[in-house]
Amino acid sequence: MLKGLIIFGAGLVLAVSAGLTSLGAVAKSAAPDVAVSLWPLNGFAAESIASRLLKAAVAKNEGAFPEKVDPLVLEWARRAFIAEPATPLAVATLALNAPDKNGRLLMEKAFALSRREPIVTGWMIADSSERNDTQGVLNYYDTTLRTNSSAAPVLIPVMVQALSNSESIEPFANLLMNDPPWAAQFWERLAASPEAILNGAILRERLYRKNENTKQYRDFNLLRSLVYSQNFAVAEKLYALLKNRTAEAALIKNYSFDHEPEFPPLDWELFSTGEYGAAIVDGSLRMSGIQNAGGTFAKQIVRFPPSVVELKVIASQPIPDDVKLMIGVTCAEPLAKVPEPIRVGITKQTTIQKISNQVTPCRYYWLDLTGRASENGDGFDVSIDLISIRAEQS
C-alpha cells in the first residue's frame, strides 16, 4: 500500500502547485496591505497577507510545506486570528507551527471553516497519506474535486494510478458508491490505464447495482480496453454482469442480429467506410460494397470450448457470384504456439463447417467476417440472418 500512498504524495505536490498558480493574482493585489493600515485591524486582510506569504513559501519549496513557518507569516496569522477567529488560512498557518497532535486538531478546525482552501486540503491529504489512511486521502481528493473545477486534470490521473494497488479497491468503492460529480472523468481515465484496468473491473463489479444510473460509468470503454489488453475472461465476466445474463449454448453473442451491439467486440463490432460497410437492420447483418471494394465487415471475440464446434452461417438470399465472403477464426491469445487461422468461404445461402479445438490450449478467438466485391461487377448487397457457433453434443 505504501507505493500507492507515495503516488498520492506526488499528486499532492502537483495539486498544491496548480492551486498556487491559479491564485497568483492574489499576490499582486495591494488591497490587503492598505486594509491592514486602517483601524480597527481587518482580520481577513491580515489573513490575505499571511496566505500570500505562505503560498509563496510553498511555491518556493516546490509544492511541499516548509518545515518551519517564517515568523513574519506567523505574526500576520496571529493578528488575523485575534481580529477574526473565523479565518481558515490564519488557523491553518498557526497549525503548521504547532506540535503534531495540536497541529492536526487546528488544521481540522481550519478545514471545517472552509473546504475551498487548497493549502488546508493539501495538508489534510499529506497527513492522511503519512498515517496510511487511504480512505481519508480519497475523501479529501473528493472535496478538492468538488470545490475546485481545475483540480480534475491533476488529481484524477493520480487517483487512477493509485487504483493499481488492490488494497485501494474498497476505499474507492466507498467513495464512488455515492456517485460523485467527477465519476465519469475517473472512469474515462481508468479505461485508458493498463496498470489499473484489472482492479478497475473488480471495482466496477463491486459498484454494480440493478437499475443503476449508468451515465457516470464508461462501460463501453472499459470492456473494450479489457479485450484489447487480452484480459478476455475478466471482460467476459463483467459483460455477463452488466447484461444480466448467464452463459448461453450459442457461443456468439447476438448471433441472430436481434439488436444493435452495445459492448463491441464482446458483441459484434461493425465497420464501415465510404466504399463498404455493415449495419444491423431488422434482424439481419446488412453488408454492401462498391466495385472492387471490401475488407472486414464485422468481428467478435469468441470463447471456444476444448471440443469440436459447428459454425453455421445463414444468408437471407443466395450469395451473388461476384462477391467473395469469408469467415475467419484466429487465436487471440499470446501463446507460444498458436493454431493456424481458419478461413471458411461463404458461397451458399447456408454454410455449415465443423471446427476442432481439441488439440490446442487456445480458448479465445477472433471471429471476423470479410468480403470483397468483384472488380468487374457493380458492387453488392448481402444480408446475413445468422452466424452461430455451437459445441457438439457428446
Side-chain angles (χ1 to χ4, degrees), residues 115-133:
R115 299 191 174 196
R116 294 181 178 274
E117 178 47 62
I119 287 288
V120 178
T121 309
W123 189 93
M124 300 297 284
I125 291 170
D127 180 66
S128 297
S129 180
E130 289 176 3
R131 291 186 289 111
N132 214 25
D133 180 8

Side-chain angles (χ1 to χ4, degrees), residues 46-345:
E47 180 198 37
S48 179
I49 293 176
S51 171
R52 181 179 67 196
L53 295 173
L54 178 60
K55 289 171 182 175
V58 173
K60 186 177 180 180
N61 203 31
E62 297 182 349
F65 294 104
E67 293 184 7
K68 293 184 179 181
V69 181
D70 186 282
L72 180 62
V73 180
L74 287 173
E75 177 59 23
W76 279 114
R78 185 188 65 80
R79 294 175 65 183
F81 180 74
I82 292 173
E84 181 55 67
T87 48
L89 242 302
V91 176
T93 304
L94 295 173
L96 290 173
N97 201 52
D100 288 346
K101 184 177 180 180
N102 293 336
R104 184 176 298 117
L105 291 173
L106 277 174
M107 199 64 78
E108 288 174 352
K109 297 294 185 182
F111 184 73
L113 288 171
S114 174
R115 299 191 174 196
R116 294 181 178 274
E117 178 47 62
I119 287 288
V120 178
T121 309
W123 189 93
M124 300 297 284
I125 291 170
D127 180 66
S128 297
S129 180
E130 289 176 3
R131 291 186 289 111
N132 214 25
D133 180 8
T134 304
Q135 191 68 67
V137 171
L138 290 177
N139 289 340
Y140 289 122
Y141 274 2
D142 176 42
T143 298
T144 303
L145 288 166
R146 289 174 184 267
T147 59
N148 186 347
S149 60
S150 64
V154 174
L155 295 188
I156 286 181
V158 175
M159 296 171 76
V160 168
Q161 191 171 2
L163 189 58
S164 61
N165 190 311
S166 60
E167 293 180 30
S168 298
I169 294 173
E170 193 63 25
F172 269 103
N174 293 334
L175 184 62
L176 286 164
M177 67 174 54
N178 296 318
D179 299 338
W182 46 265
Q185 293 172 277
F186 174 82
W187 289 107
E188 189 76 36
R189 180 79 184 197
L190 174 64
S193 174
E195 299 85 2
I197 195 170
L198 288 176
N199 287 337
I202 297 172
L203 176 63
R204 181 64 181 96
E205 290 181 22
R206 172 76 173 73
L207 292 170
Y208 173 77
R209 301 184 298 270
K210 288 186 177 180
N211 302 318
E212 65 186 1
N213 178 9
T214 59
K215 289 184 179 180
Q216 65 173 320
Y217 298 107
R218 295 296 184 267
D219 294 328
F220 175 95
N221 294 340
L222 179 58
L223 285 168
R224 186 177 181 83
S225 294
L226 285 167
V227 170
Y228 281 105
S229 60
Q230 299 178 326
N231 293 295
F232 303 119
V234 176
E236 195 172 44
K237 180 183 178 185
L238 182 57
Y239 174 90
L241 176 68
L242 297 176
K243 296 292 289 183
N244 193 25
R245 62 177 58 180
T246 56
E248 302 173 350
L251 302 177
I252 296 180
K253 301 173 183 67
N254 196 17
Y255 64 93
S256 57
F257 307 105
D258 294 327
H259 53 81
E260 286 289 323
E262 187 174 359
F263 298 120
L266 286 160
D267 46 24
W268 292 111
E269 183 168 6
L270 308 177
F271 300 91
S272 291
T273 71
E275 297 182 338
Y276 69 92
I280 293 177
V281 181
D282 297 331
S284 295
L285 176 66
R286 305 274 182 90
M287 299 179 296
S288 61
I290 64 174
Q291 182 185 37
N292 198 31
T296 300
F297 287 87
K299 70 176 183 178
Q300 182 177 143
I301 196 76
V302 181
R303 177 168 51 87
F304 277 48
S307 63
V308 176
V309 299
E310 180 185 86
L311 167 68
K312 179 184 288 188
V313 181
I314 300 178
S316 302
Q317 299 89 23
I319 304 297
D321 294 334
D322 60 350
V323 58
K324 182 179 181 181
L325 292 180
M326 303 279 290
I327 289 281
V329 179
T330 307
C331 180
E333 299 181 51
L335 302 176
K337 185 177 181 180
V338 297
E340 289 293 325
I342 297 171
R343 309 296 292 175
V344 179

